Amino acid sequence: MSDRTAPKSQLRLEWVYGYRGHQCRNNLYFTSSKEVVYFVAGVGVVYNVKGNSQRFFLGHNDDIISLALHPEKQLVATGQVGKDPYICVWDAKNCQTVSILKDGHQRGIASLAFNNAGTHLASVGLEDYHLICIWDWKKGRLLASAKGHSDRIFDLHFNPNVDNQLVCCGVKHIKFWKWQGNSLNPQKGIFGKGGEIQTMLCLAFGTNGTTYAGTLSGDIYKWEKNSLTGTVQGHEGAVFTIYKSEDGFASGSKDGSVILWDGDFKPITKIDLLNSVIGYKGLSVRSVCWVADKILVGTNNSEIYEVLASNKESPRTLVQGHAEGELWALAVHPKKAMFATGSDDQSIRLWSLSDRTLLARVDLEQKIRSLAFHPDGSQLAAGLSDGSFMVLKARDLSEVLHTKDRSEVIHELKYSPDGAYLAVGSNDNFVDIYATSQRYKKVGECKGSSSFITHLDWSDDSKYIQTNSGAAERLFYKIPAGKRVTNKEEIKAISWSTWTGVLGTEVNGIWEKYTDTNDINATDTSFPNNTLVSGDDFGLVKLFRFPCIKKGMGMFCIAMTRPAPSPDVLHQHIIF
């Protein structure tokens, strides 16, 4: 009789790599306890730099795209995308929800802002008309709303110097709103002869009532009331972010630089990250936060740097992750505490599990869709989007060879347990077998699948593989020739080295009633612990007792870590 008790293993989110810099801005701050708050995918992160530890807010069910910090710097508001997007206000100290604001927006919440007293919260949606809402966030009540603009709004703030005034800016517009009761009444910004009409990306306010707006050209526009009165020449690229600090302003740009300004917007110093020791082509600053001597910088490629104003030549790397694009590939080193990831950003990265740092990186010319370590840990195979695969030295990710026998993406590859063969599954519906001792000469071909290969596993003796396909087929092959195996007694006698497939009587229980065959993307099994883990399209990671023959058998817990398409959270693979 099958064991229906829950597995002894548990799930606990320990670390999240990366930072959401692409398509977001102004989303990185110091809290009152001098910790760093930001988000990745659907997870709000509070990072204790000194202790190198993270806490997580898991109250969202889709990707977060906006964040605001309460004036007292302990409460955080985050907004997400989705069919029914909502806003969470939560405490950075314990990561507990304080308030949830629903039914205000469609598609997503693009921008958030607390008023100066911290009593109200403003939001901008991703609707065609970009709705602006004002909330009594403590009571969860919508107080006022108005259609913001037909073009995209990039930033929104309460004016701390003018009672009940909000300012928003975006594609070739800026608006000054008066909030009265349940109504919001706008005044358009008058450009006049002060400067050309252009897109504005971010806002800040001076103590003298001036509104500053960072522009697409790199200049900073000065507004008095609703009239453009002057231009400050700043950056050589678009100004994505402006932060008001006690000592002045900090601005960050597409040109890879941060400029510190005094309270009258006169330049103090320029920090050129692009040409610093951590610089690279295309570095773009998406968020900046300046407190005392420390400046936080968030980039488009998912990095967070800390720069000291007194020593701007030595930026410190706090967080790294993959850049924009889906992250498909994951492999754990068989002997050392490290793992590798590959992404649509065309990079393969090697990470340390012990100190959570980036150990090595290589940039390729194709998107990476699968990874596998050789059993002895010496080599790393990578399946690419053009149908080719590469073999790299695991030590430094230098190239050993590059082979192309297929024309469609390589979604799955695995070494045999004895290291003699590499099985490469493609969207051409084939699995090719390569002999590692013959410099990866092709020695076999597995035919018969009617759809693309999604998963494959080797037997303990390296003589068989099983495959799953996009047509929900589970097939078996004798290796190395690739002869199809159909004899039930022969199949039943096979002992599997790994189990990452989603099909078969052994895993029938992972499928809910009416589930589509594409809903569960990945599994992996820890045989010593009789435990299987699954990851699905709904952002859920589930533990089951293995084998899981009946639905819901032994399921212990669900972790809502949102592995949806994102550069920073696992999309295709789960590995113990």
Side-chain angles (χ1 to χ4, degrees), residues 37-57:
V37 62
Y38 55 97
F39 57 80
V40 181
V43 181
V45 181
V46 182
Y47 176 33
N48 184 307
V49 178
K50 185 176 292 186
N52 195 31
S53 62
Q54 294 179 342
R55 298 190 301 277
F56 309 103
F57 176 74

Side-chain angles (χ1 to χ4, degrees), residues 115 119-122 133-136 142-145 158 162-166 176-186:
N115 67 340
T119 54
H120 297 101
L121 180 71
C133 295
I134 298 179
W135 306 82
D136 180 336
L142 178 61
L143 302 177
S145 63
F158 283 94
V162 181
D163 290 340
N164 297 328
Q165 186 189 72
L166 293 92
F176 300 79
W177 299 80
K178 184 68 175 179
W179 170 34
Q180 293 177 310
N182 62 357
S183 65
L184 282 165
N185 301 305

Side-chain angles (χ1 to χ4, degrees), residues 272-457:
D272 186 1
L273 293 171
L274 183 65
N275 295 308
S276 70
V277 292
I278 52 90
Y280 55 85
K281 184 179 180 181
L283 189 154
S284 174
V285 177
R286 306 291 295 193
S287 190
V288 64
C289 178
W290 177 20
V291 176
D293 193 42
K294 293 183 178 179
I295 302 146
L296 284 176
V297 180
T299 75
N300 61 315
N301 281 349
S302 301
E303 301 118 346
I304 298 176
Y305 299 114
E306 183 183 80
V307 186
L308 299 180
S310 58
N311 184 19
K312 63 181 183 179
E313 303 302 324
S314 300
R316 176 187 176 192
T317 302
L318 300 183
V319 174
Q320 287 178 290
H322 281 278
E324 184 175 5
E326 294 182 0
L327 194 158
W328 286 81
L330 170 70
V332 178
H333 196 282
K335 298 181 181 297
K336 298 180 181 178
M338 61 178 65
F339 67 99
T341 55
S343 166
D344 281 356
D345 70 2
Q346 301 182 4
S347 74
I348 296 174
R349 307 187 189 213
L350 194 62
W351 307 89
S352 167
L353 279 167
S354 54
D355 59 13
R356 299 145 180 169
T357 57
L358 181 66
L359 301 174
R361 167 182 175 173
V362 63
D363 294 304
L364 307 180
E365 296 181 356
Q366 297 290 330
K367 297 175 180 179
I368 296 90
R369 287 301 175 89
S370 52
L371 290 171
F373 279 103
H374 189 279
D376 68 8
S378 64
Q379 295 183 338
L380 177 68
L384 307 180
S385 60
D386 67 344
S388 67
F389 74 91
M390 295 182 70
V391 178
L392 311 171
K393 291 182 180 178
R395 181 179 65 255
D396 57 7
L397 300 183
S398 59
E399 182 177 331
V400 176
L401 62 85
H402 189 178
T403 298
K404 189 176 191 301
D405 289 321
R406 296 296 171 191
S407 59
E408 294 192 30
V409 58
I410 306 297
H411 269 314
E412 180 68 305
L413 43 69
K414 279 190 176 72
Y415 284 95
S416 59
D418 62 8
Y421 302 107
L422 175 67
V424 180
S426 76
N427 273 25
D428 290 348
N429 307 351
F430 296 97
V431 177
D432 297 315
I433 308 299
Y434 297 86
T436 58
S437 62
Q438 301 177 50
R439 193 168 171 78
Y440 292 86
K441 178 184 177 182
K442 184 177 174 180
V443 293
E445 183 177 274
C446 303
K447 304 176 182 179
S449 177
S450 63
S451 186
F452 55 92
I453 306 301
T454 58
H455 308 84
L456 66 86
D457 290 292

Side-chain angles (χ1 to χ4, degrees), residues 6-7 9-12 541-544 554-559:
S9 305
Q10 298 184 33
L11 290 172
R12 179 173 61 87
V541 178
K542 300 179 182 179
L543 283 181
F544 300 87
M555 186 172 71
F556 184 78
C557 59
I558 299 175

